[in-house]
Amino acid sequence: MLTQADIDREIAEWPRPPVPSGHPRRDFAPYRSSVLRHPKQPLVPVKDPDAAELHGPVFGVTDVTTLDADLTRQHSGEPLGERITVEGRVTDRRGRPVRGQLVEIWQANASGRYPHRRDDHPAPHDPNFSGVGRCLTGEDGSYRFTTIRPGAYPWRNHRNAWRPAHIHFSVFGEAFTQRLVTQMYFPGDPLFPYDPVLRSVTDAAARQRLVAAYDHELSQPEWSLGYRWDIVLDGPAATWTES
């Protein structure tokens, strides 16, 4: 099995783009599963984009409740782990708020375990934590979640491979075909230098925009620690998204 040194060497030898990019190549070899699952055929044009909306997920204002945004209150008991509040704004390149946006999150629990049958590494499930939530952005583009800080987890990309703690974000857009997916990381994580997923983003500034900032004013006394993370949808300061 490949070692961390092998992965580090591959990253160092990987051809660098002339201009650092916030969008890594889809076949970034140090991230092994991207080689297996990235598109290899020409894109198929959609003749009627509106038709895709007839078969994709839909939502309305009445479908999203305040309970959906608090991942600590979705079961009969309290989940284990460090309770956190994550708040931010969804804006365009000019800082204008994107209102009524469906923001979805999913994450591992405090032990780094997903409630998925293929996640079989030896870490405990939490019966009081499912790790999924959603909310709609407000008039100022703001969103807010209460959740549990996720743990790091092994992912078998190479020997002793661990993903830094992160929360997956989905920004729905005005239609399902506009959906964007990204990840939020936590400041000061010692696993950053060892993670080929994060290191596939060659623009250092774009990598930093994926890291939330601890916000003491957002922390709730005797309740939760606060993290602030804004999502910029387009322009030179856009948040990296999977595309």
Side-chain angles (χ1 to χ4, degrees):
M1 178 178 286
L2 292 171
T3 66
Q4 184 68 51
D6 295 324
I7 295 297
D8 292 342
R9 183 170 57 253
E10 285 189 5
I11 292 175
E13 295 174 352
W14 189 257
R16 297 280 173 168
V19 178
S21 174
H23 290 271
R25 285 180 51 170
R26 294 171 177 164
D27 60 346
F28 186 68
Y31 178 8
R32 282 295 183 265
S33 58
S34 71
V35 177
L36 299 175
R37 67 188 182 191
H38 81 280
K40 300 179 179 65
Q41 303 299 323
L43 296 178
V44 177
V46 178
K47 296 180 181 180
D48 184 5
D50 293 335
E53 299 305 316
L54 299 177
H55 303 282
V58 296
F59 71 95
V61 174
T62 58
D63 298 319
V64 183
T65 70
T66 55
L67 185 63
D68 294 330
D70 189 341
L71 284 68
T72 69
R73 296 173 54 222
Q74 297 173 351
H75 297 273
S76 59
E78 290 276 355
L80 298 175
E82 177 186 313
R83 189 184 293 109
I84 61 173
T85 299
V86 180
E87 183 176 300
R89 296 177 68 227
V90 180
T91 65
D92 65 12
R93 70 172 67 197
R94 294 181 176 86
R96 296 176 298 195
V98 181
R99 305 176 180 89
Q101 182 79 199
L102 179 65
V103 180
E104 301 169 308
I105 64 171
W106 62 97
Q107 61 170 96
N109 66 19
S111 70
R113 187 83 181 260
Y114 286 98
H116 191 285
R117 62 186 178 183
R118 294 191 64 182
D119 186 348
D120 58 0
H121 82 279
H125 285 294
D126 187 339
N128 293 311
F129 188 76
S130 298
V132 294
R134 62 182 182 172
C135 70
L136 296 175
T137 57
E139 286 299 307
D140 59 350
S142 62
Y143 72 85
R144 184 185 180 100
F145 290 101
T146 302
T147 185
I148 297 295
R149 178 164 174 156
Y153 59 82
W155 62 301
R156 300 170 184 166
N157 185 72
H158 52 279
R159 184 178 180 276
N160 206 20
W162 291 81
R163 292 282 354 259
H166 61 280
I167 298 176
H168 298 268
F169 273 73
S170 162
V171 183
F172 204 96
E174 296 179 353
F176 184 68
T177 52
Q178 298 174 352
R179 182 173 182 246
L180 303 176
V181 177
T182 187
Q183 298 181 14
M184 185 203 88
Y185 296 86
F186 293 86
D189 196 312
L191 291 173
F192 286 164
Y194 305 102
D195 183 39
V197 178
L198 186 59
R199 292 171 68 186
S200 68
V201 180
T202 58
D203 185 340
R207 285 198 303 273
Q208 186 57 42
R209 288 195 294 270
L210 295 176
V211 182
Y214 173 71
D215 187 337
H216 197 65
E217 295 301 314
L218 185 58
S219 295
Q220 304 295 308
E222 301 183 37
W223 183 251
S224 69
L225 294 180
Y227 292 90
R228 186 168 300 279
W229 191 60
D230 296 331
I231 301 172
V232 182
L233 295 182
D234 60 357
T239 305
W240 174 84
T241 59
E242 296 181 11
S243 61

